[in-house]
Amino acid sequence: MSAAAVEFRGVSFSGPGAPPRVEDLDLSIPSGELLVLLGRSGSGKTTTLKLINRLLTPSRGEVLVEGKTTTAWTAIELRRRIGYVIQEGGLFPHFDVARNVGLVPVLLGWDPDRVAERVREMLELVGLDPRSFADRYPDELSGGERQRVGVARALAGDPPLLLMDEPFGALDPLTRAEMQDMLRGLLGRLKKTVLLVTHDLDEALYLGDRIVLLQEGRMIANLAPEEFMRSQQPEIVSYIRAFHRGERDARAAYDKEVRS
């Protein structure tokens, strides 16, 4: 097995006077794996991501990135090892696409020619023609285009670790499917370690090497997709049923029509 890129060792987190948002989490993510954090709103998915890039620090336990606790890294050094993608890409509205994508390479001190070449390379990698998109601003892009730019920016500094917080949640189903295809192909080539937060079961099954189900801050399951779908664990069964209600109703209506 590959060495762990990220480890949680007995990690809990709670705000002042609040119940734990993550509780007693033990989890190891091998290098090169795409791990999906699945669960309903408030289950602790985003909190778990923020504990990795040190936007939050554990109340108890420790988080390790590349074998070193997050508190042993400087915040700047740690975050430059991590790409971060959120809904709508989190782009700076007053920066054009080229400046958004080139932000981290500039902060890393790359020379202008190298930055420009990296921007071109990244835009082509996510399926955007640099000649058409480099000079545009975020408000001139569709939701899917903004998300592609967000992925390009997250990868521009070549970080080994990518955190994605419901990156496709605001997109329509067809655009979302296109983005999932793009991400799956992209990550297959780049071999990054990825933690993807979603509440969408189909997305988790399509993209994940493993699925971790969180519930009220606790890890309920940590399974490969095929094991997840075979599981008889009540929490998993309930989650699967919630996502297939429409399919069952449509099938029942079709069967009724065929029989009549």
Side-chain angles (χ1 to χ4, degrees):
M1 179 179 289
S2 301
V6 179
E7 286 186 82
F8 290 81
R9 297 179 178 173
V11 172
S12 295
F13 175 82
S14 58
R21 285 151 60 185
V22 170
E23 191 167 8
D24 296 328
L25 179 60
D26 288 296
L27 179 64
S28 178
I29 300 101
S31 296
E33 180 173 83
L34 195 157
L35 181 100
V36 176
L37 296 174
L38 184 70
R40 65 192 303 168
S41 297
S43 61
K45 305 186 301 297
T46 295
T47 299
T48 300
L49 284 196
K50 289 181 177 179
L51 287 164
I52 296 171
N53 64 5
R54 214 174 121 184
L55 291 175
L56 299 172
T57 54
S59 305
R60 186 173 70 249
E62 58 185 11
V63 182
L64 288 79
V65 174
E66 298 179 13
K68 188 162 70 170
T69 63
T70 55
T71 52
W73 294 85
T74 68
I76 291 175
E77 184 184 21
L78 176 65
R79 290 169 193 163
R80 288 180 181 174
R81 303 287 294 165
I82 299 172
Y84 198 39
V85 184
I86 59 175
Q87 283 189 22
E88 294 289 313
L91 305 179
F92 292 107
H94 56 294
F95 286 6
D96 63 18
V97 165
R99 194 174 175 193
N100 265 291
V101 174
L103 180 63
V104 172
V106 168
L107 293 174
L108 292 173
W110 294 14
D111 68 68
D113 288 343
R114 187 183 177 195
V115 172
E117 176 59 24
R118 186 62 169 173
V119 168
R120 183 196 62 75
E121 179 187 358
M122 288 294 98
L123 289 177
E124 290 179 347
L125 196 63
V126 298
L128 298 176
D129 184 349
R131 295 167 298 180
S132 300
F133 287 93
D135 296 331
R136 296 191 196 179
Y137 285 81
D139 64 0
E140 299 175 297
L141 306 176
S142 69
E145 289 165 350
R146 284 193 294 272
Q147 207 59 53
R148 287 175 187 268
V149 174
V151 172
R153 185 179 66 179
L155 293 171
D158 198 22
L161 177 60
L162 186 63
L163 307 180
M164 308 188 79
D165 192 357
E166 297 196 36
F168 312 138
L171 302 177
D172 66 83
L174 290 178
T175 303
R176 184 172 186 147
E178 291 170 358
M179 291 299 299
Q180 291 167 352
D181 288 342
M182 182 273 293
L183 183 65
R184 185 170 171 170
L186 188 65
L187 295 177
R189 297 196 299 274
L190 297 180
K191 307 299 182 185
K192 302 292 183 183
T193 304
V194 183
L195 277 83
L196 171 68
V197 161
T198 186
H199 59 262
D200 187 303
L201 177 60
D202 289 336
E203 186 164 270
L205 294 170
Y206 187 63
L207 294 174
D209 297 313
R210 274 193 302 149
I211 298 173
V212 166
L213 180 65
L214 297 177
Q215 182 173 297
E216 296 180 349
R218 287 186 172 273
M219 185 169 67
I220 301 300
N222 179 5
L223 299 168
E226 60 275 13
E227 295 171 329
F228 191 92
M229 292 302 291
R230 290 197 304 265
S231 175
Q232 295 304 304
Q233 193 172 331
E235 297 89 347
I236 296 177
V237 171
S238 296
Y239 208 92
I240 292 171
R241 284 177 178 167
F243 270 86
H244 292 287
R245 290 188 307 162
E247 290 180 19
R248 291 198 304 274
D249 287 350
R251 171 56 62 182
Y254 174 78
D255 290 343
K256 182 178 179 181
E257 182 177 341
V258 169
R259 288 195 301 270
S260 60

Short mmCIF file of all heavy atoms in Angstrom, two decimals, residues 5 9 21 41 96 100 109 136 139 153 176 244:
data_model
loop_
_atom_site.label_atom_id
_atom_site.label_comp_id
_atom_site.label_asym_id
_atom_site.label_seq_id
_atom_site.Cartn_x
_atom_site.Cartn_y
_atom_site.Cartn_z
N ALA A 5 -0.87 9.88 2.59
CA ALA A 5 -0.74 11.30 2.31
C ALA A 5 -1.33 12.13 3.44
O ALA A 5 -0.83 13.20 3.77
CB ALA A 5 -1.43 11.65 0.99
N ARG A 9 -5.61 10.94 13.45
CA ARG A 9 -5.36 10.07 14.59
C ARG A 9 -6.17 10.54 15.79
O ARG A 9 -5.81 11.52 16.44
CB ARG A 9 -3.86 10.06 14.93
CG ARG A 9 -2.98 9.49 13.83
CD ARG A 9 -1.51 9.53 14.22
NE ARG A 9 -0.65 8.93 13.19
CZ ARG A 9 0.69 8.95 13.24
NH1 ARG A 9 1.31 9.53 14.27
NH2 ARG A 9 1.40 8.40 12.27
N ARG A 21 -18.15 18.56 16.02
CA ARG A 21 -18.47 18.49 14.60
C ARG A 21 -17.73 17.34 13.92
O ARG A 21 -18.15 16.84 12.87
CB ARG A 21 -18.13 19.83 13.93
CG ARG A 21 -19.16 20.90 14.28
CD ARG A 21 -18.58 22.30 14.28
NE ARG A 21 -18.02 22.72 13.00
CZ ARG A 21 -17.39 23.88 12.83
NH1 ARG A 21 -17.25 24.72 13.84
NH2 ARG A 21 -16.90 24.20 11.65
N SER A 41 -25.98 17.05 5.12
CA SER A 41 -25.51 18.34 5.62
C SER A 41 -25.34 18.27 7.14
O SER A 41 -26.18 17.71 7.84
CB SER A 41 -26.52 19.44 5.27
OG SER A 41 -26.64 19.57 3.87
N ASP A 96 -8.85 38.36 -14.12
CA ASP A 96 -9.26 37.59 -15.29
C ASP A 96 -8.85 36.12 -15.08
O ASP A 96 -8.22 35.76 -14.08
CB ASP A 96 -8.69 38.17 -16.58
CG ASP A 96 -7.17 38.17 -16.67
OD1 ASP A 96 -6.52 37.42 -15.91
OD2 ASP A 96 -6.62 38.91 -17.50
N ASN A 100 -6.30 34.44 -12.30
CA ASN A 100 -6.82 33.48 -11.32
C ASN A 100 -6.01 32.19 -11.34
O ASN A 100 -5.58 31.69 -10.30
CB ASN A 100 -8.30 33.19 -11.60
CG ASN A 100 -9.24 34.05 -10.79
OD1 ASN A 100 -9.34 33.92 -9.57
ND2 ASN A 100 -9.94 34.95 -11.48
N GLY A 109 6.77 32.34 -6.74
CA GLY A 109 7.94 33.04 -7.26
C GLY A 109 8.38 32.63 -8.64
O GLY A 109 9.52 32.88 -9.04
N ARG A 136 -10.92 36.52 -20.14
CA ARG A 136 -12.27 36.71 -19.63
C ARG A 136 -12.27 36.83 -18.11
O ARG A 136 -11.34 36.40 -17.43
CB ARG A 136 -13.18 35.54 -20.04
CG ARG A 136 -13.39 35.40 -21.53
CD ARG A 136 -14.50 34.40 -21.80
NE ARG A 136 -14.53 33.95 -23.18
CZ ARG A 136 -15.39 33.07 -23.67
NH1 ARG A 136 -16.29 32.53 -22.86
NH2 ARG A 136 -15.35 32.71 -24.94
N ASP A 139 -17.45 36.62 -14.29
CA ASP A 139 -18.87 36.88 -14.59
C ASP A 139 -19.20 36.71 -16.07
O ASP A 139 -20.36 36.78 -16.47
CB ASP A 139 -19.29 38.26 -14.09
CG ASP A 139 -18.58 39.40 -14.78
OD1 ASP A 139 -17.72 39.16 -15.66
OD2 ASP A 139 -18.87 40.57 -14.44
N ARG A 153 -6.91 26.33 -11.45
CA ARG A 153 -6.17 27.12 -10.46
C ARG A 153 -5.66 26.24 -9.32
O ARG A 153 -4.52 26.40 -8.87
CB ARG A 153 -7.06 28.23 -9.89
CG ARG A 153 -6.31 29.16 -8.94
CD ARG A 153 -7.17 30.27 -8.39
NE ARG A 153 -8.23 29.75 -7.51
CZ ARG A 153 -9.11 30.53 -6.89
NH1 ARG A 153 -9.08 31.83 -7.08
NH2 ARG A 153 -10.03 30.00 -6.12
N ARG A 176 -22.90 18.86 -14.59
CA ARG A 176 -22.26 18.14 -13.50
C ARG A 176 -21.65 16.83 -14.01
O ARG A 176 -20.52 16.48 -13.67
CB ARG A 176 -23.28 17.86 -12.41
CG ARG A 176 -22.71 17.20 -11.16
CD ARG A 176 -23.75 17.15 -10.05
NE ARG A 176 -23.18 16.66 -8.82
CZ ARG A 176 -23.56 17.04 -7.62
NH1 ARG A 176 -24.51 17.95 -7.48
NH2 ARG A 176 -23.00 16.53 -6.53
N HIS A 244 -32.57 6.46 -4.34
CA HIS A 244 -33.18 5.67 -5.40
C HIS A 244 -34.71 5.66 -5.33
O HIS A 244 -35.34 4.85 -5.97
CB HIS A 244 -32.63 4.24 -5.38
CG HIS A 244 -31.18 4.16 -5.75
ND1 HIS A 244 -30.74 4.33 -7.04
CD2 HIS A 244 -30.07 3.98 -5.01
CE1 HIS A 244 -29.42 4.23 -7.08
NE2 HIS A 244 -29.00 4.03 -5.85
#
